[in-house]
Amino acid sequence: MKPVISLKDLEEMVRSGKDFGSLPADALLTPSARDFMRDREGYGRPQGTAATDGRLSAPAKAVTSKSSKAEIDAFFKSAPVEELKRQLCNIGRRLWQRAYVDGNGGNIAIRVGEDIALCTPTLVSKGFMQPDDMCLVDLEGNQLCSGNGKKRTSEILMHLQIMKRQPRAVATVHCHPPYSTGFAVAGVEPPTCMIPEYEVFSSVAIAPYRTPGTPEMGQLVADLVDKHNTILMANHGVVAWSHNNVEDAYFKMEILEAYCRTVLVSSQLGKPPNTMTAAQLQDLLKIKQSLGIPDPRHGLKECELCDNNEWRPGIICTVGGVPSENNNASIKPDAEAEALVQAITDQIMAGKK
């Protein structure tokens, strides 16, 4: 019987430092494993052209952080890397135009080799970046190159920890979209089973707050990326990773932000939102799994899906002393306040006589 190689098998090989050449010649790859192998073959290419999907084409020799300074400089200035720099600027401009970032907030990174990544600079608005502003770093955060002397983003460690933990992560995007960040500040995961696009393309979790840019923050996020591609960072913002390209990572921001906005609008319409059935969600999860997108619900029974127990849309207020259908206990009036109101009323009425 021919051996079947899954995505999990390949990820374990990468973590162990093994080469794909050691796979049996007659091995059968699952669709997600085949995509993963194809993605890995697009990394670290010092020559060739940049593909339209954001990866680099096949090289003659891979450049790593251990390559000579001359090789790294030549790679940083090569045509395919210049194209990726332009993509970073384009995504940054779209983040800024949609008000997903403010000031010099947000950052983006693209893996361009086994242990090197291209990233945005610190203290520059994402709406006005230039290709020469981009920086090249190793996976420990050490800066290797910069077009004009700018320093790499101060939050690069989080991006790199995602890439080290999740070998499939080709690109990462971090920003502060208002509606999504509102959920992060409230510490509430968006409810599920409402919109198909969200269920297929997003898998969201919340990471506890730590100071931005610290290894602790990156670690808490990295702990979640095996089963989630979009992380709400408590009291901070959102970060997403993609196994395809940087635009796909950005798309996850658009999908999440539109979803969070829609959920909040629906919660104000005076009736519980309609949700899809567990069977309908199961169909969407099958599509999601075929696309190689992680989700902790893969493999769960239908009865375990569509769990929104933590979702509490809105707060119902009542006037003191008047019970409502949602609040059976009356709120007792303040006796001193009522006496004061009555005394003032009596004085006003006496003055009119």
Side-chain angles (χ1 to χ4, degrees):
M1 181 181 294
K2 295 182 179 181
V4 177
I5 305 301
S6 68
L7 171 62
K8 185 176 181 180
D9 294 329
L10 294 185
E11 290 179 339
E12 184 57 37
M13 288 181 68
V14 171
R15 290 191 181 98
S16 303
K18 297 179 180 178
D19 188 86
F20 292 156
S22 62
L23 290 172
D26 61 344
L28 298 176
L29 298 177
T30 64
S32 56
R34 191 180 304 113
D35 289 342
F36 176 72
M37 183 175 287
R38 182 198 62 210
D39 292 340
R40 298 292 297 181
E41 290 171 351
Y43 296 154
R45 307 315 193 190
Q47 298 178 1
T49 58
T52 56
D53 64 2
R55 289 188 291 267
L56 299 179
S57 64
K61 179 183 177 182
V63 170
T64 72
S65 64
K66 307 302 181 186
S67 299
S68 69
K69 183 69 166 62
E71 288 177 317
I72 292 174
D73 287 344
F75 175 77
F76 185 65
K77 297 174 183 176
S78 65
V81 174
E82 288 296 326
E83 171 58 27
L84 294 181
K85 292 176 185 177
R86 287 189 286 271
Q87 289 182 23
L88 286 172
C89 293
N90 176 52
I91 296 302
R93 189 158 45 249
R94 290 157 73 176
L95 290 171
W96 181 80
Q97 288 172 338
R98 297 199 69 131
Y100 291 180
V101 291
D102 53 272
N104 52 35
N107 25 78
I108 316 166
I110 302 175
R111 186 183 229 153
V112 294
E114 290 298 326
D115 66 346
I116 51 177
L118 196 65
C119 70
T120 52
T122 190
L123 300 177
V124 177
S125 167
K126 300 301 150 312
F128 299 92
M129 297 187 301
Q130 300 298 322
D132 281 349
D133 294 333
M134 302 305 116
C135 306
L136 189 71
V137 298
D138 65 20
L139 291 194
E140 302 306 316
N142 300 306
Q143 186 158 324
L144 304 175
C145 289
S146 174
N148 56 16
K150 284 191 168 59
K151 294 183 178 180
R152 49 80 163 170
T153 170
S154 59
E155 293 190 73
I156 189 59
L157 294 180
M158 175 183 65
H159 297 259
L160 300 176
Q161 284 173 282
I162 291 174
M163 292 177 181
K164 287 192 287 187
R165 177 65 66 87
Q166 177 48 261
R168 300 175 65 219
V170 174
T172 50
V173 173
H174 163 56
C175 57
H176 313 130
Y179 291 92
S180 307
T181 302
F183 276 84
V185 170
V188 175
E189 289 186 18
T192 57
C193 298
M194 294 187 186
I195 295 179
E197 289 76 10
Y198 176 78
E199 298 299 344
V200 171
F201 297 108
S202 297
S203 180
V204 178
I206 300 179
Y209 176 81
R210 293 294 186 277
T211 303
T214 61
E216 292 78 12
M217 180 73 260
Q219 184 64 49
L220 289 169
V221 170
D223 286 344
L224 298 169
V225 297
D226 278 344
K227 294 185 177 180
H228 302 87
N229 60 18
T230 310
I231 310 300
L232 296 174
M233 305 161 68
N235 301 91
H236 186 182
V238 186
V239 61
W241 67 268
S242 169
H243 66 290
N244 290 321
N245 51 56
V246 68
E247 184 168 47
D248 184 54
Y250 164 76
F251 282 161
K252 288 171 173 49
M253 292 297 177
E254 284 197 351
I255 292 168
L256 175 64
E257 183 67 355
Y259 183 73
C260 288
R261 184 175 184 180
T262 301
V263 166
L264 288 174
V265 170
S266 70
S267 70
Q268 299 172 42
L269 297 180
K271 65 180 293 290
N274 297 323
T275 58
M276 59 189 70
T277 66
Q280 291 170 331
L281 177 60
Q282 195 72 274
D283 289 340
L284 296 176
L285 289 176
K286 290 177 182 176
I287 297 173
K288 189 175 205 170
Q289 194 163 25
S290 72
L291 296 173
I293 299 175
D295 194 298
R297 297 171 298 177
H298 289 325
L300 293 183
K301 299 177 182 178
E302 288 184 0
C303 62
E304 299 173 299
L305 303 174
C306 297
D307 180 9
N308 292 325
N309 287 334
E310 294 185 0
W311 171 238
R312 296 290 183 270
I315 298 173
I316 297 175
C317 299
T318 58
V319 177
V322 181
S324 73
E325 60 183 50
N326 296 299
N327 181 14
N328 293 325
S330 299
I331 300 175
K332 295 181 180 180
D334 186 325
E336 290 186 6
E338 288 210 350
L340 179 60
V341 171
Q342 186 60 54
I344 294 174
T345 301
D346 290 344
Q347 289 183 14
I348 293 174
M349 296 303 295
K352 289 184 177 181
K353 293 179 180 179

